[in-house]
Amino acid sequence: MLKTTLPPMLSSLRIKTRFPKIDWATRNACKTSPSTVRRNAPTEAIPLYDLPPTSAYIHLPFCRKRCHYCDFPIVALGSSPNQSHDDPRITDYIELLCREIVATKLDFEQCPPLKTVFFGGGTPSLVPPRLVSLLLETLKSKFGICLDAEISIEMDPGTFGSGKLTELMGLGVNRLSLGVQAFQEDLLESCGRAHGVKEVYEAIEIVKSCGVENWSMDLISSLPHQTPEMWENSLSLTVEAQPAHVSVYDLQVEQGTKFGVLYTPGEFPLPSESQSAEFYKMASKALSDAGYEHYEISSYCKPGCQCKHNLTYWENRSFYGFGLGSASYVRGVRFSRPRRMKEFAMYVQSLENGAVSPAETNDVDSKDRAADIVMLSLRTARGLDIKHFRELFGTSLVNSLCQAYKPYMESGHVLFLDEQRRLVAGDKLTSITDECRYAEDLSYIRLSDPDGFLLSNELISVAFGVIAP
């Protein structure tokens, strides 16, 4: 069963998390020698993760209070209406962030300007626009920012008005993600959210009145005491609000959170695994019927409105990460910053002194890189690009991977596609299988929607078993 609660902009923090391995005896019908990651791999192929980063994630950790399901690194400011204007906790942190950005080494001969910037949190809308402007100017001075760059910010209902949003748009912010989570007062209260339904409707109206076209709404399913009727209502109201993008996360109970103390996954008042699966199917149908493309496990969008920044993650491209607990991904190496403010300040000082460099790379195991590419690609409707994967890791691995997925293709959970993204099945697939021509004749592997996506943990584990048996 799918469990994905990480907002896309923070998913990079845990991208190395491995799903439990399952026992799988790969059928060696192709009669090849045991697959190795680099067998028959052409040397001229350039992995996307070796290209210079053109995206930056900025972590702004400030919240009014910690939600009961949240285990992200945050700083709870309290509920004072004027808390964020001159709060030294915010101004001091922004200064640290700017110092980190300036001290970052540029280790590429040519560094193209940033194409995407994402302010995530936390609740970034608590940060005064003048400080957001300072961060953007620092990024522009260090890396450059494309004139048509996608600049996104997360905003919570009740933390902004039309004045603040207009000011942010004037700075170049052209996409926002609204953290609604639910349209039921009881659910919002039980989650520890700092806003209510009234603030949700007010926020939607502000976004529309300011003329923001590219905006996203976040929802959470499988909450305590959430019923199918409640979920259907939230989905209906979301469609009615007409955001360009919707992110749907299935609650995962994390250790160290209030929910982690109160609840056990799969036990009342949390839904069972089958009920959670039904919530996922409901979202897939409701949003697809409303014209949204299900382009990633947790992400839906109107045509042409994919989150460009998040695509950086799913395509396994390099990106910068700045701020408390954030992660960067440069030259195939992930580097996470400290999650505590004191340690983060010490890290920035060490960075300035040249005592640490996130860009320093050790030799990363090619099996880990192959596993990362498969895991990230199979989250998307585009799927795994077999031709590119073959260039990087060789024909033998592609054939072994396809052979391992053949039973799931027959059950409808995995789809084999040709270059025109047409389903390959029947006699054509039989011929490919008999001659072991997966790598030559197939172009993509993807998971079906919604059944394959729901089985993603197991299906990705199958791939891990092939890559690193």
Side-chain angles (χ1 to χ4, degrees):
M1 166 59 193
L2 167 76
K3 284 290 180 183
T4 175
T5 60
L6 300 179
M9 67 294 303
L10 273 179
S11 62
S12 58
L13 300 178
R14 305 177 191 177
I15 213 68
K16 299 296 288 187
T17 300
R18 293 290 183 245
F19 298 103
K21 288 187 178 180
I22 62 172
D23 293 330
W24 180 264
T26 303
R27 301 175 185 177
N28 196 13
C30 297
K31 301 188 184 303
T32 61
S33 55
S35 63
T36 58
V37 169
R38 295 190 181 276
R39 182 180 298 275
N40 303 323
T43 57
E44 67 271 13
I46 301 176
L48 296 178
Y49 53 73
D50 274 346
L51 299 176
T54 56
S55 295
Y57 172 79
I58 315 294
H59 189 59
L60 301 178
F62 307 103
C63 289
R64 288 176 287 182
K65 58 189 242 183
R66 181 179 287 278
C67 298
H68 297 165
Y69 51 78
C70 175
D71 72 340
F72 294 144
I74 69 159
V75 176
L77 299 175
S79 300
S80 172
N82 297 316
Q83 76 219 347
S84 63
H85 292 292
D86 296 299
D87 192 315
R89 292 171 292 183
I90 297 181
T91 55
D92 291 350
Y93 177 76
I94 299 300
E95 180 187 354
L96 265 180
L97 265 180
C98 291
R99 287 169 53 194
E100 182 190 8
I101 293 168
V102 170
T104 297
K105 293 181 180 179
L106 302 179
D107 290 329
F108 294 87
E109 290 185 7
Q110 294 184 337
C111 294
L114 298 177
K115 296 179 180 178
T116 74
V117 177
F118 200 110
F119 294 102
T123 307
S125 48
L126 289 173
V127 176
R130 62 182 176 83
L131 297 180
V132 175
S133 175
L134 179 59
L135 288 170
L136 285 171
E137 287 300 319
T138 305
L139 287 170
K140 184 177 181 180
S141 176
K142 182 69 177 184
F143 305 107
I145 299 178
C146 292
L147 292 176
D148 61 348
E150 176 191 86
I151 302 178
S152 304
I153 190 168
E154 290 182 322
M155 308 185 80
D156 273 3
T159 65
F160 66 97
S162 58
K164 177 181 282 189
L165 181 52
T166 299
E167 194 171 350
L168 288 170
M169 293 170 64
L171 299 175
V173 174
N174 51 26
R175 183 181 184 278
L176 68 88
S177 179
L178 189 62
V180 172
Q181 317 311 357
F183 280 87
Q184 294 76 35
E185 199 73 47
D186 290 346
L187 290 184
L188 291 172
E189 185 176 347
S190 68
C191 288
R193 297 292 291 175
H195 69 264
V197 175
K198 178 175 177 291
E199 287 78 18
V200 168
Y201 286 114
E202 289 175 348
I204 293 172
E205 180 57 36
I206 291 169
V207 171
K208 292 185 174 183
S209 68
C210 288
V212 181
E213 295 182 359
N214 193 7
W215 66 286
S216 180
M217 185 182 293
D218 289 356
L219 297 176
I220 300 179
S221 64
S222 302
L223 292 169
H225 299 288
Q226 191 176 41
T227 65
E229 291 75 21
M230 291 177 177
W231 183 232
E232 183 177 24
N233 180 245
S234 287
L235 292 169
S236 176
L237 292 171
T238 297
V239 170
E240 185 179 318
Q242 297 184 323
H245 187 282
V246 182
S247 295
V248 177
Y249 304 113
D250 188 56
L251 177 71
Q252 185 170 356
V253 177
E254 302 284 358
Q255 291 184 353
T257 65
K258 187 169 183 179
F259 274 6
V261 174
L262 293 175
Y263 306 124
T264 301
E267 296 183 7
F268 185 81
L270 295 179
S272 65
E273 190 168 298
S274 62
Q275 289 171 325
S276 293
E278 188 57 35
F279 283 149
Y280 187 81
K281 291 179 179 180
M282 289 171 64
S284 179
K285 185 178 189 308
L287 294 172
S288 297
D289 288 350
Y292 290 88
E293 298 175 358
H294 194 179
Y295 74 98
E296 188 269 334
I297 282 182
S298 300
S299 306
Y300 302 79
C301 70
K302 293 291 189 179
C305 294
Q306 296 95 336
C307 179
K308 295 178 182 178
H309 184 83
N310 291 347
L311 288 176
T312 298
Y313 302 147
W314 313 140
E315 293 173 359
N316 204 40
R317 295 178 179 271
S318 294
F319 57 87
Y320 296 111
F322 299 107
L324 192 71
S326 68
S328 58
Y329 182 55
V330 181
R331 297 189 188 277
V333 175
R334 305 188 190 279
F335 181 89
S336 294
R337 281 91 183 137
R339 290 171 58 91
R340 296 181 180 275
M341 192 65 73
K342 182 178 180 180
E343 285 78 7
F344 175 66
M346 294 172 62
Y347 157 75
V348 173
Q349 183 66 57
S350 297
L351 186 67
E352 291 174 323
N353 295 337
V356 62
S357 174
E360 290 178 356
T361 63
N362 298 316
D363 186 28
V364 179
D365 192 304
S366 59
K367 293 180 180 179
D368 282 346
R369 286 178 169 168
D372 270 357
I373 290 173
V374 171
M375 176 175 66
L376 293 166
S377 297
L378 291 184
R379 288 185 61 98
T380 69
R382 183 175 187 269
L384 176 65
D385 184 333
I386 292 178
K387 305 298 184 185
H388 184 65
F389 192 76
R390 177 193 179 192
E391 289 178 351
L392 295 176
F393 303 109
T395 299
S396 179
L397 181 59
V398 170
N399 285 337
S400 296
L401 189 62
C402 291
Q403 187 66 20
Y405 276 143
K406 188 169 178 284
Y408 295 96
M409 184 279 301
E410 293 170 350
S411 66
H413 293 93
V414 173
L415 306 178
F416 293 164
L417 307 176
D418 64 13
E419 192 171 356
Q420 285 74 43
R421 300 195 60 81
R422 296 172 301 196
L423 182 65
V424 178
D427 292 342
K428 183 175 181 180
L429 181 61
T430 299
S431 175
I432 292 172
T433 301
D434 290 345
E435 299 178 19
C436 195
R437 292 185 55 83
Y438 296 108
E440 294 81 0
D441 294 349
L442 299 180
S443 294
Y444 299 94
I445 304 174
R446 66 152 297 180
L447 307 186
S448 61
D449 179 14
D451 293 332
F453 281 156
L454 280 166
L455 204 62
S456 61
N457 285 9
E458 180 179 342
L459 295 173
I460 291 170
S461 293
V462 168
F464 292 164
V466 173
I467 294 167

